[in-house]
Amino acid sequence: MPDAAPRPRLGDHLRVAWLLVGTLAGAIPFFFFLLASPVLTPWLRARTRRRLGGDPAAPTDAPALDALPETGTIFVVAGEASGDELAASVIRRIKAQAPGVTVRGYGGPALTAAGAELDEDIVERAVMGFFPVVFSIGFWWKLCVRTLARLREDPPDLMLTVDFPGLNVRLASWARARGVRTVHLVAPQIWAHTPWRILRWRKAVDRMLATFPYEPALFEASDIPTTFVGHPLFEAPLPAPRGIE
């Protein structure tokens, strides 16, 4: 079992409180973006077309993960069932290449089966919608302050965040600010909505691992090193549609 988490301080609670205020304030730029969208949307589309003018990237292994030392600690965060399965496949490969690496963090049963020592099962606590999030805010508040305490007193060598962008961009930002190398798997689809949030990701991650071939050009244009690693749906045969023999 993982060691007991370090005790959070008052400053950790204040940091999470400020995060909550900032999250609520995030509705303000979204409102102005909607008002300006008749002008901004054509400009953003034209800029995206320019950035996608070259050939799409070919899938490759992620150098940020292939360069792992033989020992050390990886903190992985996967907040949904799909991300849990995807993270588990990465951890199994890492364990095969570097058996001495310790993997811990937040996830679900797939990560546990892959050899990660979970501090918290957050997959079973995943929620969607305004009111479910409000009703579960106590759990996520405690999770955030415990993470801040651990990053201060027992930082990992690498934080690997998988999908679940609302939480993971905050955790990765805190980790990187404390000198922890950060990698995010499954690039957020900010190119489809809220494009200004790319600034938040630029502060949060050392490398982005993209699942679509056009995403490296978009993120690297904003100074985010990005590697196209392929889409998990194409790595295993899909089940036959129902009703087809």
Side-chain angles (χ1 to χ4, degrees):
M1 294 294 292
D3 299 332
R7 190 178 184 86
R9 300 175 181 174
L10 175 60
D12 299 325
H13 287 278
L14 293 176
R15 189 78 178 262
V16 176
W18 181 247
L19 167 64
L20 183 60
V21 172
T23 301
L24 295 175
I28 297 175
F30 181 72
F31 173 74
F32 283 109
F33 179 76
L34 289 179
L35 292 179
S37 59
V39 176
L40 285 178
T41 298
W43 176 77
L44 289 172
R45 287 177 177 173
R47 187 184 65 169
T48 300
R49 282 194 295 268
R50 289 194 300 270
R51 290 179 175 179
L52 295 178
D55 295 331
T60 182
D61 290 332
L65 296 181
D66 285 345
L68 284 171
E70 294 185 0
T71 60
T73 302
I74 298 174
F75 199 94
V76 59
V77 185
E80 300 162 310
S82 58
D84 186 41
E85 293 284 351
L86 186 55
S89 66
V90 176
I91 296 307
R92 281 192 293 268
R93 176 176 175 180
I94 290 174
K95 286 283 190 178
Q97 292 182 344
V101 169
T102 298
V103 182
R104 65 184 308 157
Y106 310 140
L111 269 172
T112 299
E117 302 174 0
L118 293 189
D119 294 270
E120 193 76 53
D121 185 338
I122 65 173
V123 170
E124 64 179 12
R125 303 298 296 266
V127 294
M128 293 183 63
F130 178 78
F131 289 108
V133 170
V134 170
F135 293 148
S136 63
I137 196 170
F139 169 80
W140 299 107
W141 185 293
K142 292 178 182 177
L143 185 81
C144 287
V145 295
R146 287 199 302 267
T147 304
L148 283 167
R150 183 169 296 285
L151 290 172
R152 180 182 61 249
E153 300 184 23
D154 186 23
D157 298 286
L158 171 73
M159 175 176 278
L160 171 64
T161 53
V162 183
D163 208 358
F164 211 50
L167 174 67
N168 277 335
V169 68
R170 274 85 174 186
L171 299 187
S173 179
W174 292 337
R176 195 179 187 215
R178 286 158 178 78
V180 177
R181 190 156 53 105
T182 57
V183 178
H184 183 76
L185 176 57
V186 184
Q189 295 182 1
I190 51 179
W191 40 265
H193 54 80
T194 59
W196 62 87
R197 289 180 178 171
I198 200 167
L199 301 176
R200 181 183 296 169
W201 284 98
R202 187 164 62 191
K203 295 179 180 179
V205 298
D206 291 298
R207 178 160 296 273
M208 185 76 72
L209 305 182
T211 55
F212 293 106
Y214 55 82
E215 289 177 322
L218 296 177
F219 284 93
E220 289 185 344
S222 296
D223 298 323
I224 302 176
T226 305
T227 302
F228 171 49
V229 295
H231 200 288
L233 284 178
F234 299 100
E235 295 179 1
L238 299 177
R242 293 182 180 180
I244 299 179
E245 298 297 335

